[in-house]
Amino acid sequence: MITMDNIIREGHPTLRRSADLVTFPLSAEDRKIAAEMMEFLSNSQDEEIAEQLNLRAGVGLAAPQIDVSKRIVALLIPGEYEDDPPELAKVMFNPKIVSHSIESACLKGGEGCLSVDREVPGFVVRHSRITVAYQDAEGVTHKARYKGYTAIVVQHEIDHLNGVMFYDHINEQAPFAVTDDVIIIE
Ligand code: FHF
Ligand code: ZN
């Protein structure tokens, strides 16, 4: 089971590496990693389990964050209201942004990261809409479009596969300065 002890923190070199492509058919090891990543997110969003295990709630997890330098991402984005089905519940292998909007967007409250134990204030400017190609556990390639909050989370996760941290996108001189064409997501 993955707990916070398995999550590496900023300063660890794996977080700055470009992760390796996953090969198919998936190894038993890679299948287990994917299942455990999804289990972590589910546990982290369960109030009781999260309290017992001292988990920080997460909506996404990239394999490099558990010191596995492979292109695997787990996403568990809750629905709008309690008891709604998740907005997105998926493990992606070898995800890649194949096209994106010209328009940019950022979360009003900035971003955090399970691998960063401090607040880093500022707008993390990203693509407003993205098309992602990825493989599922069977190696089948899919193409999906995301917008809004979901698009932001997916970009945060794909960044981890490329050694990029969310604060790399914050304007150091003016963390909350954006041009007026940037959509600010509440
Ligand atoms: C999170 N947590 O999941 C953040 C961190 C924008 O690479 O957003 O570091 F659990 C992955 C509802 C709303 C339920 C918010 C992408 C952030 C990705 C994980 N929590 C939440 C929730 C959350 C990171 N990460 C603050 C831990
Ligand atoms: Zn992160």
Side-chain angles (χ1 to χ4, degrees):
M1 185 179 49
I2 297 170
T3 66
M4 296 309 292
D5 291 344
N6 303 109
I7 295 178
I8 59 171
R9 309 302 159 94
E10 53 179 339
H12 194 298
T14 300
L15 289 172
R16 287 308 194 176
R17 225 162 258 155
S18 175
D20 294 332
L21 285 167
V22 176
T23 57
F24 290 88
L26 238 42
S27 65
E29 175 67 13
D30 287 352
R31 276 184 192 279
K32 182 165 175 245
I33 288 164
E36 289 202 327
M37 287 171 65
M38 199 41 116
E39 182 196 33
F40 170 84
L41 294 178
S42 174
N43 285 342
S44 81
Q45 291 179 29
D46 180 308
E47 249 183 77
E48 244 169 68
I49 301 175
E51 186 178 83
Q52 282 188 351
L53 299 176
N54 241 291
L55 306 180
R56 193 174 169 200
V59 291
L61 184 67
Q65 294 183 277
I66 53 166
D67 202 15
V68 172
S69 198
K70 293 183 179 181
R71 307 188 83 82
I72 307 173
V73 152
L75 298 149
L76 185 58
I77 301 180
E80 195 167 343
Y81 302 101
E82 220 179 336
D83 298 340
D84 274 3
E87 174 68 27
L88 185 63
K90 193 186 285 295
V91 178
M92 295 178 177
F93 300 88
N94 304 323
K96 189 183 154 73
I97 296 171
V98 292
S99 71
H100 63 78
S101 59
I102 296 169
E103 186 175 70
S104 300
C106 61
L107 299 182
K108 188 181 180 186
E111 295 184 18
C113 181
L114 290 166
S115 298
V116 178
D117 291 326
R118 63 191 171 103
E119 292 266 309
V120 187
F123 289 145
V124 180
V125 179
R126 299 188 181 278
H127 307 305
S128 185
R129 299 175 298 281
I130 54 173
T131 302
V132 178
Y134 65 91
Q135 286 168 284
D136 64 22
E138 273 62 61
V140 178
T141 299
H142 301 263
K143 245 202 227 181
R145 288 167 80 171
Y146 300 107
K147 59 179 167 61
Y149 178 66
T150 304
I152 299 287
V153 176
V154 172
Q155 288 171 82
H156 179 117
E157 299 319 322
I158 292 176
D159 268 354
H160 277 307
L161 306 182
N162 296 320
V164 175
M165 302 294 285
F166 73 91
Y167 46 75
D168 298 342
H169 299 286
I170 299 175
N171 180 336
E172 261 183 64
Q173 311 306 324
F176 291 103
V178 280
T179 47
D180 60 11
D181 57 337
V182 179
I183 304 283
I184 296 172
I185 302 168
E186 294 279 340

